[in-house]
């Protein structure tokens, strides 16, 4: 009699994902893995497998392309995300949105808390919700705590666009999608974004679509 196969461990699941070369498939909204929340990373992957997984997340984020990717977005319910933003944007956009370059970082067991009451509202999108963008008001500045990929403690303040990225990615690890926090009346297709909402701030969109900005 065959022994029933146990639920694969996270390590087995990651090994299986990494068996194919190249970018990993990105799961999209509607997949429960994006809603379940994640296990804290506590050595479920040994250091060699963790390094390979982080590299696969980096390759997948670049290929998409995106400025952040959380493990649940490739179907892995672990509290790990990567971020990187070369910020190839015009000066006026950089100034209005604080979109400064963010070097590659691995966030392990991250958590954030707002610093101060200032909010910033801009259009953002998500690789797991392809084709759409919406305005999200987020804390302008946050304190991020957690670890890096080597287990070293992280305690750092993020502002501008990098603050938005770390909030978006950390939210993924708690089963939250940006749409949960968005002004739904701002929801715009990529086509509408390219045609209409290319200005550095969403003020015109707020007036035309009828939503509030902080
Ligand atoms: Zn996302």
């Amino acid at each position: 009699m065959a022994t029933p196969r146990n639920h694969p461990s996270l390590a087995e699941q990651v090994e299986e994902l990494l068996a194919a070369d190249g970018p990993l498939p990105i799961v999209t909204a509607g997949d429960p893995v994006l809603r379940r929340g994640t296990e804290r990373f506590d050595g479920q992957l040994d250091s060699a497998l963790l390094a390979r997984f982080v590299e696969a997340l980096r390759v997948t984020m670049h290929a998409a392309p995106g400025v952040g990717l959380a493990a649940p977005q490739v179907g892995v319910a672990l509290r790990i995300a990567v971020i990187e933003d070369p910020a190839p944007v015009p000066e006026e956009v950089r100034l209005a949105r604080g979109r400064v370059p963010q070097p590659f970082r691995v966030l392990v067991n991250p958590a954030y808390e707002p610093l101060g009451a200032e909010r910033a509202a801009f259009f953002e999108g998500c690789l797991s919700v392809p084709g759409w963008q919406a305005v999200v008001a987020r804390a302008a500045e946050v304190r991020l705590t957690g670890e890096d990929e080597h287990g070293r403690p992280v305690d750092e303040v993020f502002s501008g666009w990098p603050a938005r990225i770390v909030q978006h990615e950390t939210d993924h690890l708690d089963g939250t999608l940006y749409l949960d926090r968005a002004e739904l009346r701002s929801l715009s297709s990529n086509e509408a974004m390219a045609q209409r909402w290319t200005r550095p701030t969403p003020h015109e969109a707020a007036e035309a679509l009828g939503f509030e900005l902080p």
Side-chain angles (χ1 to χ4, degrees):
M1 196 177 106
T3 310
R5 191 159 185 266
N6 288 329
H7 200 67
S9 70
L10 280 160
E12 285 168 335
Q13 190 199 345
V14 169
E15 284 282 9
E16 200 165 311
L17 259 185
L18 300 183
D21 275 339
L24 304 173
I26 294 178
V27 303
T28 51
D31 189 317
V33 73
L34 292 171
R35 293 309 201 171
R36 268 202 299 265
T38 49
E39 274 182 36
R40 280 182 67 79
F41 178 73
D42 186 22
Q44 293 94 332
L45 317 180
D46 66 30
S47 59
L49 186 56
L50 175 64
R52 287 170 57 212
F53 181 52
V54 162
E55 175 61 12
L57 288 175
R58 193 181 69 84
V59 166
T60 305
M61 171 177 68
H62 285 174
V67 296
L69 188 68
Q73 294 184 275
V74 296
V76 176
L78 267 179
R79 201 163 181 83
I80 296 174
V82 296
I83 62 173
E84 182 176 16
D85 185 11
V89 294
E91 178 79 355
E92 60 165 355
V93 170
R94 185 178 67 76
L95 289 172
R97 301 181 192 168
R99 181 126 180 224
V100 293
Q102 168 61 53
F104 178 74
R105 290 283 296 270
V106 183
L107 312 181
V108 175
N109 299 328
Y112 68 83
E113 59 184 75
L115 288 181
E118 196 192 334
R119 315 270 292 165
F122 293 103
F123 278 101
E124 65 181 71
C126 178
L127 296 174
S128 293
V129 189
W132 300 90
Q133 297 184 47
V135 171
V136 187
R138 293 190 182 273
E141 196 169 66
V142 294
R143 176 183 177 193
L144 184 85
T145 53
E147 297 148 38
D148 69 10
E149 66 273 40
H150 306 294
R152 292 183 292 231
V154 168
D155 183 345
E156 198 173 322
V157 173
F158 287 81
S159 57
W161 207 257
R164 178 168 299 271
I165 299 171
V166 300
Q167 289 173 79
H168 180 119
E169 300 310 327
T170 303
D171 283 353
H172 270 302
L173 304 176
D174 293 320
T176 297
L177 294 177
Y178 84 101
L179 287 173
D180 301 339
R181 303 191 187 280
E183 287 290 344
L184 283 184
R185 291 186 65 104
S186 71
L187 187 65
S188 297
S189 67
N190 284 350
E191 293 73 25
M193 288 299 300
Q195 264 176 25
R196 299 173 184 278
W197 311 133
T198 55
R199 301 297 300 270
T201 74
H203 287 101
E204 284 178 17
E207 195 159 315
L209 300 177
F211 62 90
E212 299 290 324
L213 291 173

